[in-house]
Amino acid sequence: MSRNVGLFVIVLGLMMTGIDTTAVILALPDITLDLHSNLDTTIWVIIIYLLIIAVMTTQLGRFGDSFGRSKIYNSGFVVFTVGSALAGTSFNIYELIGFRALQAFGGALMQANSGALIADLYPANERGRAYGYTSIGYTTGATLGILVGGIITTFIGWEYIFYINIPIGIIATILGIKNIKSGKTTKTYFDIPGLVSLLAALTLTTYGAANITGVGVDSFNIALIITGLIILGIFISVEKKVKNPIINMKVFIYRVFNFSLFASFFESMGYLSVIFIIMYLQGIRGLTPLDASLLLVPGYVIGACIAPFAGRLTDKIGARIPATSGLFLMLAGILVYTTFSITTPLYFVIIASILGGSGSSLFYPANNSAVMANAPPGYYGLSSGLLRTFANIGTLISYVLAITIASITVPKYVALEVFLGLHNIIGSLAAKFMTGIRSALIMSFIIVVVAMLLSLFRGKENRLVPMDKR
């Protein structure tokens, strides 16, 4: 019973982080107006959350290895809940961005250790089912985030997007303390130079790229991006020399592990469709946040139903077939999105969302299970954190690509206003903006093809044989 309750708490944590990834997107217009902000600043309410989670997940996985994953995971619930409460009380946009960073730190504590906790709780031949349920958690969270963002923004107020986390966080923390027990601890060390250089590299490149959407291409933004890329090169150089790097090459000794990890990265970087469809529905078709969210729900609901079965299938036959099939369905969904025009019937949105939702619910539990089932012994926490880091960096890149590429066909201020739902465009300008969205989706398609090839050629698994005996 405690194992099942522990799984429930892990799923709940991922659901909460999923909610706060999508719900805030729909609330950005109200936040901008209520806190008397400008659009260039408000967008960092989203970016800071993705940035902190992307950078911190590997290091915080090591916290779990050293001090006990259950302790770190439950601490994450506390930090996330406190950050949520403070975010709801923000008096200005800078306070909100700061509290979102705190909230993201709590989310990183949970995300970095969730996969390793599953590995502690379940044997290798049962983890696929468990990862299926964790996939439901994040998928359900993303669904609820879209619905919650639409409903709360429309009828109550954006503050309550954060306040709803408080009672859930308190209950989940109590349940987690009682029911989640982690395995043996392993003394690990932390890579401070790598952490600082990675944070600097991602911050500068993200700021420069996001700022292009607001003010256009100029020497300052180009300099930021170039500097960030240079520091990224320094980060790679540092990782080859330090004793305990963020990216430890010792974990890259198994083909299935490597290919599964990079499949996760490219899938996260390539699958931009949800972001674009929100822009399309609100900015071009003129739908309210609530109406836009309702069109996306069927895909998430069907995906949530598929995920447990995909996990069980993975336990029986390995990850290659279900994960690759999932990516194929996601590619089909992207192709449907690329056919959209300013007059496309809205039921096509439902078709595309079902394809994408079904595909993601096949891919995530299978691929996550493959990473953890093939992680080197003694590196579960590091491998779990590395999985989340790769996926989160991919998500951060995808977000920046989404708002940058789609904005190149219209005036920059119009693009950002469309993205935030503050401006509805029609006629020839809408057609041009659709061209930008379509171009970005083609790039999305190409990147996901790379993920599918990695998934297809990852190799076969034998989960009945422990990793240290393969």
Side-chain angles (χ1 to χ4, degrees):
M1 176 63 73
S2 62
R3 186 172 76 167
N4 292 334
V5 176
L7 177 60
F8 170 76
V9 175
I10 294 170
V11 170
L12 192 59
L14 293 174
M15 183 179 72
M16 289 175 67
T17 59
I19 287 174
D20 279 69
T21 299
T22 55
V24 177
I25 293 176
L26 292 168
L28 288 181
D30 282 10
I31 291 173
T32 301
L33 296 174
D34 288 355
L35 298 183
H36 307 290
S37 179
N38 58 69
L39 303 179
D40 293 346
T41 304
T42 301
I43 205 166
W44 278 89
V45 174
I46 296 289
I47 292 177
I48 194 66
Y49 185 85
L50 296 174
L51 183 63
I52 295 297
I53 286 182
V55 172
M56 297 303 299
T57 39
T58 293
Q59 294 294 286
L60 298 181
R62 293 182 181 184
F63 263 75
D65 286 338
S66 296
F67 304 111
R69 288 184 274 276
S70 60
K71 293 179 182 179
I72 299 302
Y73 184 88
N74 292 325
S75 299
F77 253 121
V78 173
V79 174
F80 188 88
T81 304
V82 171
S84 298
L86 293 172
T89 63
S90 300
F91 289 103
N92 60 62
I93 193 64
Y94 299 105
E95 285 187 3
L96 179 57
I97 292 171
F99 294 142
R100 281 282 284 176
L102 178 64
Q103 189 187 37
F105 183 76
L109 286 168
M110 291 189 285
Q111 284 196 16
N113 291 278
S114 60
L117 282 172
I118 294 294
D120 286 336
L121 290 171
Y122 292 89
N125 63 333
E126 295 181 20
R127 290 174 192 157
R129 179 176 63 88
Y131 285 118
Y133 285 114
T134 60
S135 178
I136 288 178
Y138 191 84
T139 300
T140 302
T143 304
L144 289 176
I146 294 171
L147 283 173
V148 165
I151 293 171
I152 290 181
T153 301
T154 303
F155 298 109
I156 305 176
W158 62 267
E159 299 91 343
Y160 287 88
I161 290 174
F162 303 108
Y163 289 151
I164 61 172
N165 293 328
I166 298 173
I168 299 174
I170 292 172
I171 294 171
T173 300
I174 295 171
L175 290 175
I177 291 172
K178 291 183 177 181
N179 295 281
I180 297 181
K181 307 298 180 184
S182 55
K184 295 180 180 180
T185 58
T186 304
K187 187 172 181 60
T188 58
Y189 300 89
F190 304 99
D191 178 14
I192 302 302
L195 178 67
V196 172
S197 57
L198 180 60
L199 178 61
L202 291 178
T203 300
L204 290 173
T205 52
T206 300
Y207 184 86
N211 207 37
I212 286 174
T213 304
V215 301
V217 178
D218 60 21
S219 57
F220 176 69
N221 293 328
I222 295 299
L224 286 175
I225 294 173
I226 292 174
T227 303
L229 293 175
I230 292 172
I231 295 176
L232 184 61
I234 294 173
F235 164 74
I236 295 172
S237 177
V238 167
E239 293 301 279
K240 294 179 180 179
K241 297 178 181 179
V242 297
K243 292 183 178 180
N244 300 281
I246 287 178
I247 302 178
N248 192 327
M249 297 304 170
K250 290 182 180 180
V251 302
F252 294 101
I253 59 176
Y254 300 110
R255 177 183 176 132
V256 175
F257 178 87
N258 296 344
F259 278 50
S260 301
L261 196 64
F262 282 98
S264 175
F265 172 73
F266 282 103
E267 185 278 335
S268 299
M269 183 172 67
Y271 199 59
L272 313 180
S273 303
V274 171
I275 292 177
F276 282 123
I277 206 62
I278 291 174
M279 296 169 66
Y280 170 77
L281 293 174
Q282 292 185 254
I284 295 177
R285 302 304 292 268
L287 272 63
T288 65
L290 179 58
D291 290 339
S293 66
L294 290 174
L295 284 173
L296 299 176
V297 168
Y300 286 111
V301 172
I302 292 176
C305 295
I306 291 174
F309 298 101
R312 293 191 186 100
L313 181 64
T314 301
D315 288 334
K316 294 180 180 179
I317 66 173
R320 183 171 59 174
I321 293 176
T324 305
S325 300
L327 289 167
F328 180 81
L329 289 174
M330 295 167 80
L331 287 170
I334 296 173
L335 283 179
V336 175
Y337 286 138
T338 60
T339 67
F340 282 14
S341 68
I342 58 177
T343 59
T344 299
L346 291 177
Y347 67 81
F348 274 77
V349 177
I350 298 176
I351 294 173
S353 72
I354 290 174
L355 288 170
S358 301
S360 62
S361 292
L362 281 170
F363 174 75
Y364 291 127
N367 196 73
N368 292 358
S369 176
V371 171
M372 297 309 302
N374 294 276
Y379 289 94
Y380 285 140
L382 174 62
S383 299
S384 174
L386 199 60
L387 172 63
R388 293 313 317 159
T389 295
F390 272 51
N392 287 327
I393 290 176
T395 301
L396 177 64
I397 294 172
S398 75
Y399 186 87
V400 174
L401 283 174
I403 61 177
T404 303
I405 296 175
S407 68
I408 61 176
T409 55
V410 293
K412 306 306 176 186
Y413 75 93
V414 174
L416 195 54
E417 288 188 352
V418 170
F419 180 72
L420 295 179
L422 295 176
H423 190 73
N424 180 230
I425 57 177
I426 59 175
S428 61
L429 195 59
K432 290 181 179 179
F433 195 71
M434 281 303 305
T435 300
I437 292 178
R438 195 171 296 112
S439 299
L441 285 170
I442 291 172
M443 176 176 287
S444 171
F445 183 89
I446 294 170
I447 295 172
V448 176
V449 166
V450 175
M452 188 176 72
L453 292 175
L454 288 166
S455 178
L456 179 62
F457 294 108
R458 75 177 76 205
K460 296 182 179 180
E461 300 178 77
N462 183 3
R463 299 195 181 188
L464 298 178
V465 179
M467 284 302 299
D468 54 359
K469 295 182 181 180
R470 294 183 191 178

